[in-house]
Amino acid sequence: MQVSRGVDGRRVRGEQRRSELIKATLTVIERDGVAGVSHRVVAAEADVSVASITYHFPTLDALLTAALQSAAEDLAVELHGRGSELGPRPADELARLIEHSVVRRRGRTLALYELYLYAARRPELRETAAAWLEPLTEIARTFTADPQKAQLLVAALDGLLMQTLIGARDLDRADVAALIEVLK
């Protein structure tokens, strides 16, 4: 007699719960920053027991690491292929993408930067954090064939995003166009 090996429902539910907890963690980071993350706060956000979180993520570091990995993967998926979709006025499209990040998705962008900086203190997370630069670099490569200039464009855009997020400057589409011209 052959035993049928279907999908393990417990494993599927466990992965679904982990995903829900990561989503709740990102919501907390958007609202309160990384410093606001605790098992208790995430449990309240996800409407689950603290024991449920500590079962899946025994430490806050494990929870924040999973949130960083998830955020990096989501950003990569979102940005993948955007370079080929920039249209006839790529500088305008890129400026719109940046504007979208700092206006419509401000909380999410703040959360991403907090996690990005969290990785600066955790050498084991740097590769994951750096992975989300690749889709941005892909977009930058549509403006220049020089790999160094593409990396510099991403670094400059990071700076523009950060300065806009902290209120040190207003987002100016002309800045994006000028930056692209300088780095062509």
Side-chain angles (χ1 to χ4, degrees), residues 1-12:
M1 180 162 95
Q2 189 174 18
V3 176
S4 173
R5 295 206 174 186
V7 175
D8 182 354
R10 291 173 298 174
R11 179 167 285 158
V12 170

Side-chain angles (χ1 to χ4, degrees), residues 147-157 179 183:
Q148 183 181 19
K149 286 183 178 181
Q151 289 176 338
L152 288 170
L153 177 58
V154 171
L157 291 172
L179 183 59
L183 292 173

Side-chain angles (χ1 to χ4, degrees), residues 20-38:
E20 291 167 359
L21 295 173
I22 291 168
K23 183 178 178 184
T25 301
L26 290 170
T27 299
V28 170
I29 295 170
E30 284 184 27
R31 185 184 64 230
D32 305 326
V34 169
V37 174
S38 70

Side-chain angles (χ1 to χ4, degrees), residues 75-111:
L75 184 64
V77 167
E78 183 181 328
L79 294 177
H80 185 70
R82 275 273 173 97
S84 60
E85 299 170 5
L86 288 177
R89 298 181 53 114
D92 290 345
E93 293 297 322
L94 185 57
R96 260 194 290 286
L97 177 62
I98 293 168
E99 184 176 54
H100 179 76
S101 295
V102 297
V103 176
R104 291 184 198 90
R105 297 188 78 166
R106 180 180 174 77
R108 178 175 174 258
T109 302
L110 279 169

Side-chain angles (χ1 to χ4, degrees), residues 34-134:
V34 169
V37 174
S38 70
H39 283 112
R40 188 170 310 283
V41 171
V42 173
E45 183 66 38
D47 197 24
V48 299
S49 69
V50 172
S52 178
I53 292 179
T54 57
Y55 174 79
H56 293 284
F57 302 101
T59 65
L60 282 180
D61 199 49
L63 183 60
L64 290 169
T65 298
L68 171 67
Q69 290 168 333
S70 176
E73 289 167 9
D74 287 350
L75 184 64
V77 167
E78 183 181 328
L79 294 177
H80 185 70
R82 275 273 173 97
S84 60
E85 299 170 5
L86 288 177
R89 298 181 53 114
D92 290 345
E93 293 297 322
L94 185 57
R96 260 194 290 286
L97 177 62
I98 293 168
E99 184 176 54
H100 179 76
S101 295
V102 297
V103 176
R104 291 184 198 90
R105 297 188 78 166
R106 180 180 174 77
R108 178 175 174 258
T109 302
L110 279 169
L112 289 172
Y113 272 105
E114 286 218 31
L115 287 166
Y116 195 49
L117 291 172
Y118 176 75
R121 296 188 186 275
R122 304 280 193 289
E124 69 277 10
L125 298 179
R126 290 182 187 152
E127 187 176 325
T128 300
W132 73 31
L133 295 176
E134 187 51 39

